[in-house]
Amino acid sequence: VQRAQNTAGTGTLTQLEMLIEDTTPSGLLRLGVYADSAGVPGSLLLDAGQLAVINGWNTISGLNLPVTLNTYYWLAFNISASNDARRTEIGPNARGYLTPFPFGPLPTTPTGFLYKTSVYPLRATVTLGDITPPAAPAQMALISQLWTP
């Protein structure tokens, strides 16, 4: 899990993605979102489900999670096999944790955190409400690659 701030706007989280860079990807990947509870992961807001791991962006779309501008959330992943995911070292102030739980549905509240100084390439898409003029389509705002940790 890693902490991210929604800087896109108040709207609906519609898509979660994780980048895997592995020439022989295998297994399953599960993605989800947790609430922030005073700087640590709180309750599970969304278990987005699972998909077969591919090389590149692994995407789960068609989601419907209301999110609020400038609120912190925790993006989570669980993977069933060893795959290479690009990590970025971000130093001692990182808000990322590993928590040991078996592959499957995400736990209601994760426990047993191991502090990490690196983050994984996770991103979310937030759909904002209709904008003016009325004929314009709904605005799609991509939260920065890691939102803003």
Side-chain angles (χ1 to χ4, degrees):
V1 293
Q2 57 201 38
R3 192 174 192 224
Q5 185 179 19
N6 173 13
T7 58
T10 296
T12 304
L13 185 148
T14 56
Q15 181 171 287
L16 288 171
E17 297 178 278
M18 182 174 184
L19 181 61
I20 301 290
E21 293 180 335
D22 196 320
T23 56
T24 57
S26 63
L28 299 171
L29 174 66
R30 189 168 206 98
L31 299 171
V33 179
Y34 286 90
D36 184 71
S37 178
V40 297
S43 60
L44 180 66
L45 298 174
L46 173 70
D47 185 333
Q50 67 187 33
L51 67 156
V53 175
I54 62 166
N55 187 44
W57 284 103
N58 290 257
T59 304
I60 298 177
S61 57
L63 306 175
N64 186 19
L65 176 67
V67 293
T68 305
L69 176 65
N70 294 326
T71 300
Y72 285 95
Y73 298 92
W74 289 83
L75 303 181
F77 74 94
N78 190 352
I79 198 160
S80 70
S82 178
N83 288 281
D84 289 329
R86 181 173 35 158
R87 286 183 293 227
T88 303
E89 298 299 320
I90 60 173
N93 294 320
R95 294 288 190 159
Y97 294 94
L98 292 179
T99 180
F101 53 86
F103 184 78
L106 297 174
T108 307
T109 305
T111 58
F113 298 112
L114 304 172
Y115 178 73
K116 291 295 291 177
T117 58
S118 61
V119 294
Y120 292 88
L122 293 163
R123 65 185 182 189
T125 300
V126 172
T127 301
L128 303 179
D130 286 339
I131 58 173
T132 53
Q139 179 181 357
M140 290 294 289
L142 178 65
I143 297 173
S144 63
Q145 184 166 351
L146 300 171
W147 287 353
T148 304

